[in-house]
Amino acid sequence: MALRRIRLEGDPILRKKSRPVEEINERIKTLLDDMVETMNDADGVGLAAPQIGILRRVVVIDVGEGPIKMINPEIIEVEGSRIEIEGCLSIPNKAGTVERPERVKVKYLNEEGEEIILEGTGLLATAICHEVDHLDGILYTDKVIEYVDITAEDEEIEEE
Ligand code: ZN
């Protein structure tokens, strides 16, 4: 496994649309492992492949219950809404409130190529939406309601 360099806002690759994975081979599995390592190293709750310069529909998420690796994720159902503070590993030292669904259902392939349907609420739902947006070149700053002061020490910011 290896750490990958996280691309920062302003890098045009973050605005491109990622292509679906057609074959789950060793390269894709290595990519997923490297993404988990890079996310953990940066203390993030999620990372999408374009954030490390790879335009493939692959994301990793860890909201504190262990890493979830998603290949070709697709949000198939959304319900409710919540407004929470979001950050992004590609946009350091910044955070803002974003409205997201309270509950989402996502369909994806795992490393074995099995189709998984996962339901997420709260932070997990937010992370899924945030990461899937990255695959379409969308950043949370496109949807931000209001930026918040993250110098306040008691504020817990989850970077995705
Ligand atoms: Zn992000």
Side-chain angles (χ1 to χ4, degrees), residues 51 87-90 130-131 134 139-140 160:
Q51 289 182 278
C88 179
L89 292 177
S90 294
H130 179 114
E131 299 314 329
H134 271 300
L139 300 176
Y140 87 85
E160 285 154 29

Side-chain angles (χ1 to χ4, degrees), residues 18-36:
S18 294
R19 284 170 297 134
V21 172
E22 270 144 37
E23 188 200 349
I24 301 167
N25 51 26
E26 286 310 310
R27 262 187 86 168
I28 292 293
K29 289 181 187 177
T30 302
L31 170 66
L32 282 161
D33 287 342
D34 287 354
M35 284 171 63
V36 168

Side-chain angles (χ1 to χ4, degrees), residues 7-156:
R7 305 298 184 95
L8 300 179
E9 192 183 22
D11 189 321
I13 205 152
L14 292 173
R15 291 306 191 171
K16 297 200 167 127
K17 210 171 150 77
S18 294
R19 284 170 297 134
V21 172
E22 270 144 37
E23 188 200 349
I24 301 167
N25 51 26
E26 286 310 310
R27 262 187 86 168
I28 292 293
K29 289 181 187 177
T30 302
L31 170 66
L32 282 161
D33 287 342
D34 287 354
M35 284 171 63
V36 168
E37 199 183 341
T38 305
M39 168 180 70
N40 289 339
D41 180 71
D43 272 328
V45 304
L47 189 71
Q51 289 182 278
I52 55 160
I54 311 278
L55 289 172
R56 286 289 179 173
R57 302 191 80 83
V58 167
V59 308
V60 296
I61 290 172
D62 190 344
V63 293
E65 293 156 5
I68 308 171
K69 299 168 177 174
M70 299 185 184
I71 298 165
N72 298 341
E74 213 182 305
I75 292 168
I76 54 172
E77 223 176 277
V78 301
E79 197 183 279
S81 84
R82 72 198 277 267
I83 293 172
E84 272 303 328
I85 297 169
E86 278 180 43
C88 179
L89 292 177
S90 294
I91 310 166
N93 307 318
K94 222 172 173 185
T97 49
V98 182
E99 184 175 2
R100 301 282 191 185
E102 167 60 29
R103 190 185 68 86
V104 305
K105 225 180 237 184
V106 62
K107 184 174 86 174
Y108 63 93
L109 299 177
N110 68 10
E111 279 177 297
E112 278 72 53
E114 297 158 337
E115 188 178 287
I116 308 286
I117 292 179
L118 175 74
E119 194 176 304
T121 57
L123 177 60
L124 180 56
T126 295
I128 291 167
C129 295
H130 179 114
E131 299 314 329
V132 170
D133 271 356
H134 271 300
L135 303 180
D136 293 317
I138 299 165
L139 300 176
Y140 87 85
T141 49
D142 299 342
K143 301 179 170 178
V144 74
I145 298 165
E146 192 180 17
Y147 288 103
V148 296
D149 181 9
I150 55 165
T151 55
E153 297 221 344
D154 56 348
E155 202 96 65
E156 270 288 307

